[in-house]
Every structure is written in structure tokens, then in C-alpha cells.
Amino acid sequence: MTMKTVFEKTSGLTDNQTHYCPGCTHGIIHRMVGEVLEEMGILEDTVGVASVGCSVLSYEYFNCDMTQAAHGRAPAVATGIKRVLPDRFVFTYQGDGDLASIGIAEAVHAAARGENITVIFVNNAIYGMTGGQMAPTTLVGQKTATTPFGRDASIQGLPIRVSEMLSTLDGTAYIERVSTHDVPNILKAKKAIRKAFETQKQGLGFSMVEILSSCPTNWGLDPNESLDWIKDNMVPAYPLGVYKDSKKGDDR
């Protein structure tokens, strides 16, 4: 009797063992991106740009052509690749420290120019790779290595809501914020990632999916507690949903 296959690893990922901490949802996000590229049949036509941060080694995991950008410069590198190879699908994979801090100018101007690229933006509200410092997305009151008493808005300012900000630019075609804290939201996240690549396929302009992700190590929580922390703390601060969809004409 032949066993029915109900789940298998996507060909969109390599067989390399990842370096991510136990409970980190980068692995789930990698799988979703890999599955979308496989299901759309575009693996051979895709170029990814790895950022600097926890995802710095993502070029080892995605089973498509990849290149490495300097810290924060992934959208600029992706712009160059897309303009030279307009028939390729080009995406960046960036964390909140990379995109929202040192790379905010590159993200804003790529979006403003309407570059026909896709950005996968992983928001875990902290600098993960370098020791858990405050990031631009760190919540008010959240404790980090550089805000041991909690982020104080009067001193460190307020968090940046990247999806809301970029959705105001005319060059953006599709912006959605999703989460990884439970299975229903993971399924929604995968649909959003596919929609972003379909937006690029149609030549509509800049697309970005912001994905709320966990960081058990630097949050000081176990994996299950981290998923609850996303739901209870990050989702209220960063509401989920579509912030711009030019094809439908229904900007949030």
C-alpha cells in the first residue's frame, strides 16, 4: 500500500540546516517564500537579495539565485538587478533593523520610485543578531539590551510603522502586514507573499509584506510564550491587514 504524501519540503529551499534559534519564525517565513516560488513555477527566474542581520545567511537556504547586500542596501541592490534583468522576479529578505533603521532611505526611495520588486520585511521588534538592542520597531515599554528599563518614548521616540508609512507613497502597489503567531495567520501570510510576487509579475510596482515574527532568545521567552507575545503585544501595536492594493484600488 502506497502512503499518501500530505506534506513535503519545498524545492524552494536547499537542504542546508539553518542557524536560527529554536522557536524563531524565520524558518516558517523561509518555507512560505520557498513554497510560493515553487508553486508559481518561478524558482529558475528569481533573484533574492540577502540582508544583514539574523537573515544574513538566507542565501544558503533559498534555492534560487541569491546575492548579498551591505547592511540596509538590499532595495538598492534589488533595484539594480531588476533594471538589468527586468524579466526576473527580484525580492529582498530584510529584518526590521536592516530595513527600518540603516536601510530606511533605500526602502523609502525604492518604494517612491515604484521599483517593481518585492520586499519580505520581517519585524520582530528587536535587533536579533547583534545582541538584542532596541530597533526602530521596538514597542514602547519593551525591554532590550539598550533599553533595560523599557523603551521610553520621551527619550528614544516612538516605533516606526513601516507599512503605514510606505503605503502613503504613490509608487507602492501592494502593502500588507501579516503575522506568524498561529496557523490561520501563517496561511494568510503565505497568501500575502504570493500576492506580492503576483503584483511584481503584473508589473504594478513596489510590493512589500511585513511579517510579525518572534525572537525568543532576545525577548527572554520560550517559543510558545513568544507566539503569545506577538499576538498580545505586537498585533495591537502593528495592526494586521492590507494597507495598499493598487489593483483593487482599496487603500487602507
Side-chain angles (χ1 to χ4, degrees), residues 50-53 69-79 92-113 117 119 121 127 135-136 160 162 165-166 169 206 208:
S51 63
V52 173
H71 201 183
R73 315 307 174 210
V77 173
T79 294
T92 71
Y93 189 99
Q94 301 175 257
D96 49 296
D98 183 271
L99 185 147
S101 184
I102 193 170
I104 193 66
E106 283 75 11
V108 167
H109 288 287
R113 293 191 305 267
I117 61 175
V119 172
F121 170 41
Y127 273 90
I160 296 176
V162 176
M165 177 174 64
L166 295 187
L169 302 176
F206 184 93
M208 185 186 78

Side-chain angles (χ1 to χ4, degrees), residues 98-201:
D98 183 271
L99 185 147
S101 184
I102 193 170
I104 193 66
E106 283 75 11
V108 167
H109 288 287
R113 293 191 305 267
E115 300 292 347
N116 195 37
I117 61 175
T118 296
V119 172
I120 306 299
F121 170 41
V122 181
N123 177 3
N124 60 13
I126 203 164
Y127 273 90
M129 182 184 73
T130 54
Q133 300 90 341
M134 188 194 83
T137 53
T138 295
L139 305 183
V140 173
Q142 183 180 347
K143 294 181 179 180
T144 71
T146 49
T147 57
F149 303 106
R151 181 173 188 167
D152 184 339
S154 68
I155 299 173
Q156 290 97 12
L158 295 164
I160 296 176
R161 293 185 175 91
V162 176
S163 288
E164 288 87 333
M165 177 174 64
L166 295 187
S167 68
T168 66
L169 302 176
D170 292 340
T172 55
Y174 174 68
I175 305 284
E176 183 169 359
R177 182 185 290 127
V178 294
S179 181
T180 56
H181 68 268
D182 59 22
V183 172
N185 278 284
I186 289 170
L187 295 176
K188 290 179 182 178
K190 183 178 175 182
K191 289 181 180 179
I193 292 169
R194 176 157 188 148
K195 178 66 180 291
F197 279 104
E198 289 175 343
T199 297
Q200 183 176 167
K201 183 177 182 179

Side-chain angles (χ1 to χ4, degrees), residues 7-251:
F7 182 82
E8 60 184 350
K9 185 182 77 67
T10 173
S11 64
L13 297 179
T14 68
D15 290 329
N16 291 328
Q17 183 174 338
T18 69
H19 69 287
Y20 298 114
C21 299
C24 171
T25 45
H26 266 298
I28 293 173
I29 300 167
H30 278 32
R31 176 174 57 80
M32 290 190 291
V33 173
E35 287 177 347
V36 167
L37 296 178
E38 178 188 19
E39 291 165 7
M40 291 181 66
I42 60 174
L43 269 173
E44 297 296 321
D45 300 314
T46 297
V47 181
V49 183
S51 63
V52 173
C54 288
S55 60
V56 67
L57 297 179
S58 59
Y59 55 78
E60 295 280 1
Y61 311 138
F62 290 115
N63 203 15
C64 61
D65 287 333
M66 294 287 296
T67 189
Q68 176 68 54
H71 201 183
R73 315 307 174 210
V77 173
T79 294
I81 294 170
K82 185 69 176 183
R83 291 190 179 197
V84 173
L85 302 170
D87 59 330
R88 299 295 196 272
F89 291 87
V90 181
F91 75 95
T92 71
Y93 189 99
Q94 301 175 257
D96 49 296
D98 183 271
L99 185 147
S101 184
I102 193 170
I104 193 66
E106 283 75 11
V108 167
H109 288 287
R113 293 191 305 267
E115 300 292 347
N116 195 37
I117 61 175
T118 296
V119 172
I120 306 299
F121 170 41
V122 181
N123 177 3
N124 60 13
I126 203 164
Y127 273 90
M129 182 184 73
T130 54
Q133 300 90 341
M134 188 194 83
T137 53
T138 295
L139 305 183
V140 173
Q142 183 180 347
K143 294 181 179 180
T144 71
T146 49
T147 57
F149 303 106
R151 181 173 188 167
D152 184 339
S154 68
I155 299 173
Q156 290 97 12
L158 295 164
I160 296 176
R161 293 185 175 91
V162 176
S163 288
E164 288 87 333
M165 177 174 64
L166 295 187
S167 68
T168 66
L169 302 176
D170 292 340
T172 55
Y174 174 68
I175 305 284
E176 183 169 359
R177 182 185 290 127
V178 294
S179 181
T180 56
H181 68 268
D182 59 22
V183 172
N185 278 284
I186 289 170
L187 295 176
K188 290 179 182 178
K190 183 178 175 182
K191 289 181 180 179
I193 292 169
R194 176 157 188 148
K195 178 66 180 291
F197 279 104
E198 289 175 343
T199 297
Q200 183 176 167
K201 183 177 182 179
Q202 295 160 14
L204 298 177
F206 184 93
S207 58
M208 185 186 78
V209 180
E210 178 180 350
I211 307 172
L212 304 185
S213 181
S214 65
C215 186
T217 297
N218 289 301
W219 290 354
L221 302 172
D222 69 33
N224 286 330
E225 291 171 338
S226 294
L227 297 179
D228 289 337
W229 201 87
I230 295 175
K231 178 181 66 175
D232 297 336
N233 295 279
M234 290 191 72
V235 172
Y238 297 107
L240 308 181
V242 177
Y243 283 84
K244 190 166 189 180
D245 187 348
S246 294
K247 188 175 181 181
K248 291 184 177 180
D250 57 349
D251 301 353

